[in-house]
Structure formats: structure tokens, C-alpha cells
Amino acid sequence: MRHADPDELAGLVLDRDGAPAELADHVATCDDCAALADALAVTLGLARTSVPLVAPPARVRQNVLDALVAERPAPVTAAPGQPTDTVTSLDTRRSRRVPWWTTLVAAAAALVLGVGLGALVNRDGAETPGEGTGQVLMAADLSALDRPEGRGTAEAVSTGSDDVLTIRVRASKVAGDGLREVWLINLDGKRMVSLGFLASGETGEFEVPARLMDEGYRIVDISDEPDDGDPTHSGVSLARGELA
Amino acid sequence: MTSVALPRARPDYGVGVTERAVPADGRHVVDAEATFHDRSDVLDLAHRLAAGDESCVAEIFDRWSALVHTYALRALGDEQDAEDVTQQVFIAAWISRHTFTPSETTFPAWLIGIARNKVADRRAERARDSRRVEAVSLVTGPEAAAEDGELVDALVVRQLVADLPDPRGAILRLAFWDDLTHAQIADELDLPLGTVKSHVRRGLAQIHARLEEVRDAAR
């Protein structure tokens, strides 16, 4: 006999006595059909003993939708304590936008610098050079995006120069499948620059032009980055926090 | 901690959120909200998610949140944890939409995969929290993973049967959940006995095939 089709085997499982004798005979000698019949019997058992699904309370739905709104690119706002007259109009802001090539150059420079520093800093787990030195100008608590779970801290530290800042990242629980890349996302939610990788641990220091802070690049983001040569953000953020 | 008592009695069609009542007059209702069976609709949602259409998240939540929540509730035995996990799953789905390749069969499996990860995370958190040793011992035996698989299968089957379009859906619900005989169902729905038997047979084969798809996609 040819193999039985699933409908026939379902009929056998549902009503062994009512099934054609040749079908039962075939299943008794055919491992494939016997296995499918057994699997259908398991599914039937699951269907018969299953209990009703319980919907979550309405507040869970609302929380999810609220979180989506929070996930949207942050609007441009004056930082707390900042004089209100520094809030620029949309047009002014647009005219001050960093040309695309500047961003690329800055990103490339920061990348090279960041990797170099990362290698230097984390060798033998040695204390980060300059750790604890310099005045902390801004700080951020990093957290996971999908829950209020702490993922470390980031600081913008004065280097003694007005033009250069050090971004000091001390992350935690940011293990991912790929490389961990540190970014500064602009408050406008449209622009970002890469600072480099947390190459050998969960800490790193990155020197950046101080003007990036003034331009709104204040959201520290750590991404899980596949090693695929694509220079853009993978879209998978392990941690994020705003320097303030 | 005590585990949450879950209803084991015969389902009350009026209460289950994803389950629909069998019309009293046996009218055949075409269900436009089939979750697993209307494949093009699922594919459309998957594409919208991957494309970053925020408005699809509410629809995705409405379709799969009962499945995810029930899984979390039974896996963790705690209502608050189950709510947290459910919330995390749908936010995580949105955040990691870039990592997902739309396909009608993989979409529910992808959500279930996220849910299993979040449940595992929550168990790990409990394991780190010495104040809740008791809770850990309830849920993190070596059998936990295998039991999870069976639990997920049972819940997926529940949703598959609940979402099966009528008349097949109504027939299967009466046969599986109300323990009616095929003759009683034929009488109840005013259908020929042969039609009822054929629907139950094909319905079981169909449910099984869909379950296998979800299992394969989850691997």
C-alpha cells in the first residue's frame, strides 16, 4: 500500500475502530506512517487537554504602546539648566547641521581613535589611564531599551582642553552576538557618529571634539554589531542613555 | 510563593479572549481575525513590522498577547512576572524588527522565541535573587526546557483551534473542548455526519501541520 495521507491517519487516530482495516494494517508495518499517526495523536491530546488562553490586563497593552512612543527619536529640547535662548529654531538648526562628510570623517577618526584607545586601555585589564581624573561634565545612566534595567554608566570628562572631551563608558551586561560599538546619537534622532568598539571588555574611553555635545550628540548608545563590514548601526541597541 | 491556579475546567467560551462563541443557531461565521490560518494577513503584519510601521504593533499585540501572556504565566507562575515578560516581548519585537525576516510561518515562532528568551532571563534573575530561592526551585529544574516546549506546543494548539475559521473551527471546538460526539455536533450544527467527520479529520491534520511549521521555524 502507498503511504497514507495525513487526513487518513487523522481519521485513524480519531476513530481506530471506524478506520478501514487496510489502513490499520499499513500503519502496523510502516514506520513513517506510524510515526505520523503517533504525532497526530499527541497533537490531538494537546488539543483536547488545552486550557483557555488568558489575555494580559489592558495596562500591559498601554505600556507597550507608550514604550514605542518613548522609542521614537528624541525631539530637540533644551537640556535642563540650559538657557532657553540657546534653543534654536528648526531652520537655524537645519543650517547648522554637520555636512555629511564631516560626520563621516569624524566617525572614521573616532573609530580609529577608539579602537586604538580600547586596545591601549584594556590591556591586561589594567586601570584605565586617567581613570578618575578630569572633571565630569555630564553623565548618563545606561539602561536596556526594553526594560528599566541598568547597563552601566557613561561620562563626558574634561581633558583640560576646551576643544576635546573624553567619553568614558563603563557598561555592564552588554554581551551580544557581535562586536559592541559605541555611538553618540544626536538628540534630533537623525544623526549619529560612531566612537569605536568596546573591544576587550565593557569599558572604554573615546576622545571626541567637544563641539559634538553642543551640537546635540549626547545620547550614548552601545550596539550589537555584526562583523560584516557595514559601517552603519545594526539597529540592535544593547544600552542607551543621555548625557546630561 | 504559590503558583497561580489556572482554570482546568471546561472552557467558558464567553470568557476566553481569543476564543469565540459557537453561534447558538449554528450559523457559519467566517472569521476575519484568524491568527495562524489567514496567512496573507500574518505576512502583511510581519512586513509592516520589519518596515518599521509602528501602527502594526497594536495589532500584533492583540493577536498574540494572550498566547505570550499565558505561556509566561504558566512558565513563571507569577502574574506580575508574566505581565512584565509580555510587555518585554512586544517591545523587544519592535526594537529587534531589523533582525527579523518576514515570513508567515516564522512570525509567530519568532515571537514565541522572544518569549522563551524573556522567560529564561526572568528565571536567571530569580536565580540571582537569593530572596526568591523558593520561586527558583519551582521553575528551574533540568526539565524546565523540555516542559517549556510541551507547554508552548499546547498553547499554540489552543490558539490554532481557537482561530480556525468556521464551520471547521466550531466543529473542532465542540469535539475537542466540549467532548461532543460527532453525531451530537452534526445535530447541533445541523450538518451531515459525514461532513462533521471530514472536518474533524482534516482539521486535526491541518492543526498538526501548522504546529510543525511553528516548531520548525522556532528551531
Side-chain angles (χ1 to χ4, degrees), chain A residues 43 54 61 72 146-147, chain B residues 54 62 69-70 118 125 208:
Chain A
T43 299
V54 185
R61 186 181 196 273
R72 285 180 196 153
D146 58 343
R147 64 171 91 176
Chain B
E54 197 179 295
D62 291 342
H69 178 252
T70 309
K118 296 297 178 192
E125 282 165 21
H208 181 69

Side-chain angles (χ1 to χ4, degrees), chain B residues 131-176:
Chain B
R131 288 167 299 175
R132 298 181 71 176
V133 172
E134 202 182 343
V136 173
S137 66
L138 278 176
V139 293
T140 53
E143 324 79 23
E147 281 176 10
D148 259 14
E150 286 173 28
L151 172 57
V152 168
D153 281 356
L155 299 174
V156 167
V157 166
R158 183 74 187 190
Q159 178 137 26
L160 286 168
V161 175
D163 290 341
L164 204 58
D166 291 335
R168 184 167 294 170
I171 292 168
L172 260 62
R173 291 189 282 274
L174 289 171
F176 294 163

Side-chain angles (χ1 to χ4, degrees), chain B residues 44-216:
Chain B
D44 177 56
L45 277 179
H47 275 296
R48 284 168 60 197
L49 180 72
D53 174 3
E54 197 179 295
S55 71
C56 72
V57 176
E59 288 172 54
I60 290 168
F61 186 90
D62 291 342
R63 283 171 181 243
W64 285 287
S65 62
L67 177 65
V68 168
H69 178 252
T70 309
Y71 163 61
L73 195 56
R74 300 198 53 190
L76 296 168
D78 182 271
E79 175 61 39
Q80 188 56 52
D81 282 353
E83 286 181 27
D84 290 349
V85 164
T86 304
Q87 187 172 323
Q88 287 166 16
V89 167
F90 290 92
I91 295 171
W94 172 249
I95 289 169
S96 53
R97 61 190 183 277
H98 308 279
T99 67
F100 162 66
T101 309
S103 139
E104 70 271 24
T105 54
T106 56
F107 190 48
W110 182 67
L111 285 175
I112 290 165
I114 295 174
R116 293 188 70 161
N117 286 339
K118 296 297 178 192
V119 164
D121 287 351
R122 183 52 55 102
R123 283 174 174 154
E125 282 165 21
R126 285 179 176 180
R128 284 195 293 267
D129 188 345
S130 58
R131 288 167 299 175
R132 298 181 71 176
V133 172
E134 202 182 343
V136 173
S137 66
L138 278 176
V139 293
T140 53
E143 324 79 23
E147 281 176 10
D148 259 14
E150 286 173 28
L151 172 57
V152 168
D153 281 356
L155 299 174
V156 167
V157 166
R158 183 74 187 190
Q159 178 137 26
L160 286 168
V161 175
D163 290 341
L164 204 58
D166 291 335
R168 184 167 294 170
I171 292 168
L172 260 62
R173 291 189 282 274
L174 289 171
F176 294 163
W177 300 344
D178 286 0
D179 291 328
L180 263 56
T181 66
H182 295 173
Q184 286 171 323
I185 296 169
D187 192 41
E188 173 101 14
L189 300 183
D190 195 19
L191 290 169
L193 180 59
T195 303
V196 169
K197 286 188 169 180
S198 166
H199 272 302
V200 175
R201 208 163 53 225
R202 290 191 181 163
L204 175 58
Q206 189 180 354
I207 297 287
H208 181 69
R210 293 277 191 274
L211 174 64
E212 287 287 311
E213 282 178 359
V214 173
R215 279 179 181 153
D216 287 348

